[in-house]
Amino acid sequence: MPNHLGSDELGQVFHALSDPTRRVIVERLVQRPASVKALAEPLAMSLPAVMQHLKVLEDAGVIATEKAGRVRSCRVEPTALRAAEHWLGEQRTRWERQLDQLDDYLKGR
C-alpha cells in the first residue's frame, strides 16, 4: 500500500498519536511552537516524563525540537501528519466505495 512514509514510519506516527498526552502536546504545538517548559506546565507529570513523550513524537517525525541556549523549543512537523492524513483519506475512500456498492446491491441496482 503506497504512502509518503514507509509502513514502519507511518506506524510510528500512529503509535506516537495513540497516547492522549502526546495528542494534547501536538494540539498545543499546532497552535504555535512552544518551549518544553511551557508544554510541561499544564501537564500533571514530571519534566522527564514530558521529555519522554516529546522523544516519541520527535522519533516519529511528528515534531522537531531545537535548542537555543538553555531553552529547547518544539514545533510540529506537518509532513508526518500529512502522511497519516493521506493514509486515512485513502481508507475512507475505500470504505465509502464499498458501502456504496453494498447500498446498490441491497437496492437491487
Side-chain angles (χ1 to χ4, degrees):
M1 195 172 313
N3 56 49
H4 297 337
L5 297 173
S7 60
D8 289 340
E9 289 90 353
L10 189 59
Q12 283 185 309
V13 171
F14 284 117
H15 168 72
L17 296 174
S18 70
D19 183 88
T21 299
R22 292 192 287 265
R23 288 194 304 270
V24 166
I25 290 170
V26 170
E27 288 170 5
R28 291 187 59 211
L29 291 175
V30 165
Q31 302 300 314
R32 64 185 158 287
S35 69
V36 171
K37 183 180 177 184
L39 290 170
E41 283 176 1
L43 300 174
M45 61 181 63
S46 67
L47 186 59
V50 171
M51 293 293 293
Q52 287 179 333
H53 284 294
L54 293 174
K55 178 158 178 33
V56 172
L57 290 166
E58 188 171 25
D59 289 349
V62 174
I63 68 166
T65 65
E66 53 187 52
K67 192 169 184 178
R70 296 178 58 161
V71 177
R72 180 165 294 281
S73 296
C74 305
R75 62 181 163 75
V76 167
E77 281 293 322
T79 304
L81 294 176
R82 284 189 193 118
E85 179 183 26
H86 177 75
W87 184 87
L88 288 169
E90 286 179 346
Q91 300 313 305
R92 183 182 58 240
T93 300
R94 287 184 189 148
W95 299 333
E96 288 172 351
R97 190 176 320 120
Q98 289 179 348
L99 289 172
D100 288 344
Q101 289 173 350
L102 177 61
D103 186 51
D104 289 346
Y105 174 79
L106 292 173
K107 290 180 179 177
R109 292 183 197 164

